[in-house]
Structures are given as C-alpha cells and as structure tokens.
Amino acid sequence: MVEKARRAPVDSDERGNPTPQWEVFVRNEAGDPMRHVGSVAAASATEAHEHAGRLFGWYAVDMWVCPAESVERFSTRGLADDAEERPDEEADDDDDGSDEPRVYKETAGASEVNSL
C-alpha cells in the first residue's frame, strides 16, 4: 500500500527582495489545467501580469498571478532542506526504509485519474 505524504506548513520567510512577489499560473489551451510556471517581482498585479506574460505566457490562453504572501505552502520537508538538495537534484530523499516505489510502472506517465 502506498502511504499518503505527510505535509506540514512551511514557515514563509522573506525572499530577500523588497518588491512584492507574485506566483504565476498559466493554461496553454482551453481544456488544460492551470499549472504553476514560476514567480515574478512586481509592484502591482498589472505589472506582474505584463512581466509574467513576457517570461512565461507567450501563448497561454489564461494567466493568473497571485500575491506570493497569500500562498500557503505545505511540504514533506522545509525550504532549507530543499535548498540544500538543489545542486544535485538527482538525490533520493524518499529513503523511508520502504522498498515500495512512489510511482508504479503500470501508472507511470498516466495523466488521468479514474474515480470509482
């Protein structure tokens, strides 16, 4: 049985930039889900939209920007843990003593979830 991830709130710290930060979400085609593509620094939502459009949303049919301070983050590890592992992103941090894979061969790459 695959165990559900146990996530805890991540303490938000200042990002080191006094300009407000905005999280950017785009939808490339009408039927696609929104997906997070990055973040930008801007004084207003309008400015964030313009900046994000140049960076991430050239062909997006929809783009959302939301204040990063309004985003609540939950993770199985803290931001400091994530920063320590970035240089070699191939590191396996799932070593919980279990031999069970996080993704099964049969469902790897499946984009749909069947509900019963």
Side-chain angles (χ1 to χ4, degrees):
M1 174 188 276
V2 175
E3 186 176 328
K4 292 184 179 181
R6 293 185 195 111
R7 295 179 195 92
V10 175
D11 291 331
S12 297
D13 58 349
E14 294 299 319
R15 293 186 180 195
N17 186 344
T19 306
Q21 302 290 306
W22 301 80
E23 298 300 330
V24 182
F25 300 84
V26 298
R27 181 186 341 259
N28 289 332
E29 295 182 20
D32 291 348
M34 294 299 283
R35 64 185 174 88
H36 181 261
V37 292
S39 58
V40 296
S44 68
T46 301
E47 185 181 325
H49 171 258
E50 291 170 3
H51 188 56
R54 286 189 300 272
L55 290 172
F56 307 114
W58 294 6
Y59 301 105
V61 294
D62 294 312
M63 178 183 295
W64 296 354
V65 294
C66 65
E69 66 186 22
S70 297
V71 176
E72 295 295 329
R73 294 168 177 85
F74 293 85
S75 180
T76 57
R77 54 195 178 153
L79 292 176
D81 296 336
D82 189 37
E84 292 171 5
E85 293 178 10
R86 281 196 181 144
D88 62 307
E89 292 181 9
E90 299 299 318
D92 182 15
D93 62 351
D94 288 344
D95 193 14
D96 59 0
S98 171
D99 290 335
E100 189 166 18
R102 296 286 278 178
V103 177
Y104 293 100
K105 254 191 325 191
E106 299 82 27
T107 58
S111 62
E112 295 183 15
V113 175
N114 296 326
S115 59
L116 301 173

